[in-house]
Structures are given as structure tokens and as C-alpha cells.
Amino acid sequence: DGEVHINELKNGNTEMFWNPTSEVRRQRLKRHIVLFEEQTDFESERLWQHVTSAINKGDQHKATQEKFVLEEEQRNAARERRESSTEWKPLLFQHDAGTDEWRYKYEDLRPWDPLNDIAQFEKDGILQTMERHLSTRMSNHKATCINNQITRHKRSAKDCRRRKTSDQPSNHSQNTESSCSTPESVQELSDDDGKYLGFESLCAQCGKEMNHLKEIHSAVLSLQKAQQDIHR
């Protein structure tokens, strides 16, 4: 937030290294933190509070002491786990045997979609992305299925009328006439008529998506609540 200078000890010269302008500060992302009293014992701000306090006061000796106390407690805890054969199971990280590194379990490496992604936030240590139109995509797909059904019915109705006006009637055409009783104006069908014609049972994919609507709705409500917590 402030100026940073480079001091050349050999000749005593001072050079400006960083000076955040008002424009730079205005573009900074707003920082959201978990309230101190809501943090667990192992969250950084709470765990290192005494070290941080000593650093802010300029007491390097006290900061070193507090850091030593923390590290010694961690060594003792690790020693006790080894002696009791207790396996340490991290909540948010998992070991990658290929790279021999610890990786965050819930990392999201996909590119940010500004048209669909609203915000990324953390809840209970888990990074989550709030999306704009998860249910809208399914609604669009459902509408496409219905439109396809209507188009097929229209085409069938036209074929029936074409056969009705044929100049060469036959037993086959009479049978076709009696079987072609589809209403000409499909768009004016009522909801009950739509169910009768099978619009309700759309395609298999749409059916599966409809089965998940309740779960998605519940998830959206959870995300909305989380967003309210973030703003608060």
C-alpha cells in the first residue's frame, strides 16, 4: 500500500522501486476474510497471530521466539503420531505420488468464463464458482426438444393434408384419411393436449436433466446463501 525504496549501502543512494498510485489502489480486488472468531486453530491468521503481532511491533526477537514455539509444537505432534502409528489425513490437500507434491483437492483449473461465471469464493476451505445460467442451459435444451417435436407434428400434418387432397383416392388413402386426425394448429395446443401428444416425455437427455433440477435448485440456493455470507 505504500512506497518501496531501494537503498544502495555502498554509496547511500535511494531509488524509488514501487509507488502505488490511486489508480492502482482503485483496481485492487476487495479482500474477503473469515472473521477471526470463526477461524479454526490451524488457519494461518489465527495460528500465526503472535508472530504477526511481534512483526508489526518491530520486535524481531519476539517474532522468532513465537515462530520457534509453533514449529516445536508441530514437531512434537508429528513425533506423537509416528509413535502411535496415527496417519495424518489433511482435509484440503492430497499427495501427488507422481510429482511428490501436495495439491489442493478442490482446485479448479478451467478458464474463467465471464459470460457464465459470476464469482469464485471459498466456503469451509473449498473453492467454489457461482455460475449464471446452469438451469438456463437446461431450459434452452428443453425448449429445443419441444420445438423439434412441434416441427415433426407440423410436417406430419402437412403430409396428411397432401394425401387427403390426392386426385386418386384408394382404400389406402381412405385409411390414411381416417388416421390423419392431427389438429392443424399445433401451436395452439393446451397443456393437456401437449401431455397427450407426448411433449412431456421429451428426449432421454432432457429427462435426466429434469431429474436433477431439484438438486440443482438446492445447490443454487446454497450458493446464494454463501454469496450473502461473502457480502456480509
Side-chain angles (χ1 to χ4, degrees), residues 7-53:
N7 298 320
E8 184 61 53
L9 298 181
K10 293 181 180 180
N11 52 30
N13 292 337
T14 299
E15 178 185 351
M16 177 73 70
F17 177 71
W18 167 250
N19 181 20
T21 64
S22 57
E23 178 67 19
V24 171
R25 297 183 183 184
R26 188 162 54 249
Q27 293 178 358
R28 290 183 60 187
L29 296 176
K30 185 178 179 180
R31 184 186 181 198
H32 297 283
I33 61 173
V34 179
L35 295 177
F36 185 82
E37 56 270 17
E38 295 179 3
Q39 296 180 15
T40 61
D41 293 337
F42 291 101
E43 294 196 51
S44 295
E45 187 178 5
R46 191 182 190 95
L47 183 67
W48 294 87
Q49 58 178 306
H50 301 301
V51 177
T52 303
S53 176

Side-chain angles (χ1 to χ4, degrees), residues 162-180:
R162 191 177 297 113
R163 286 194 293 269
K164 285 180 181 180
T165 58
S166 173
D167 293 333
Q168 297 178 355
S170 63
N171 290 334
H172 175 71
S173 65
Q174 291 174 359
N175 291 336
T176 304
E177 279 186 336
S178 61
S179 62
C180 292

Side-chain angles (χ1 to χ4, degrees), residues 20-227:
T21 64
S22 57
E23 178 67 19
V24 171
R25 297 183 183 184
R26 188 162 54 249
Q27 293 178 358
R28 290 183 60 187
L29 296 176
K30 185 178 179 180
R31 184 186 181 198
H32 297 283
I33 61 173
V34 179
L35 295 177
F36 185 82
E37 56 270 17
E38 295 179 3
Q39 296 180 15
T40 61
D41 293 337
F42 291 101
E43 294 196 51
S44 295
E45 187 178 5
R46 191 182 190 95
L47 183 67
W48 294 87
Q49 58 178 306
H50 301 301
V51 177
T52 303
S53 176
I55 292 176
N56 290 335
K57 293 177 181 177
D59 191 342
Q60 190 65 35
H61 179 70
K62 177 68 173 177
T64 303
Q65 284 183 325
E66 293 293 347
K67 179 174 180 291
F68 176 79
V69 170
L70 283 179
E71 292 174 341
E72 194 62 25
E73 288 179 354
Q74 292 177 348
R75 293 189 188 98
N76 292 335
R79 189 182 305 111
E80 291 176 1
R81 287 195 299 271
R82 284 196 302 270
E83 292 174 354
S84 61
S85 299
T86 302
E87 182 182 0
W88 173 255
K89 295 182 179 180
L91 296 177
L92 303 175
F93 293 85
Q94 57 190 3
H95 186 258
D96 187 339
T99 60
D100 195 27
E101 295 178 344
W102 289 91
R103 300 186 65 89
Y104 177 60
K105 288 182 179 180
Y106 306 99
E107 59 184 353
D108 184 2
L109 302 180
R110 66 179 178 83
W112 182 263
D113 184 357
L115 299 179
N116 181 49
D117 299 334
I118 300 175
Q120 189 174 62
F121 61 95
E122 177 211 354
K123 184 177 182 182
D124 298 329
I126 301 176
L127 285 180
Q128 303 177 49
T129 301
M130 181 178 296
E131 297 184 2
R132 187 182 310 279
H133 58 272
L134 182 61
S135 58
T136 304
R137 283 201 300 268
M138 294 196 303
S139 298
N140 291 339
H141 177 71
K142 178 181 177 182
T144 301
C145 292
I146 294 177
N147 289 334
N148 290 339
Q149 292 269 11
I150 292 176
T151 301
R152 284 195 293 270
H153 278 278
K154 282 184 176 181
R155 191 178 298 116
S156 176
K158 288 181 180 179
D159 291 341
C160 287
R161 289 196 296 273
R162 191 177 297 113
R163 286 194 293 269
K164 285 180 181 180
T165 58
S166 173
D167 293 333
Q168 297 178 355
S170 63
N171 290 334
H172 175 71
S173 65
Q174 291 174 359
N175 291 336
T176 304
E177 279 186 336
S178 61
S179 62
C180 292
S181 57
T182 305
E184 294 183 7
S185 180
V186 182
Q187 291 181 330
E188 297 177 357
L189 291 175
S190 66
D191 292 341
D192 293 336
D193 293 333
K195 294 179 181 179
Y196 176 76
L197 291 173
F199 288 146
E200 197 178 49
S201 61
L202 308 175
C203 68
Q205 180 183 354
C206 196
K208 291 180 180 179
E209 290 174 344
M210 291 298 294
N211 290 335
H212 293 304
L213 271 178
K214 289 185 178 180
E215 298 178 9
I216 292 173
H217 179 66
S218 176
V220 169
L221 292 178
S222 176
L223 289 173
Q224 290 175 342
K225 183 179 183 302
Q227 188 182 36

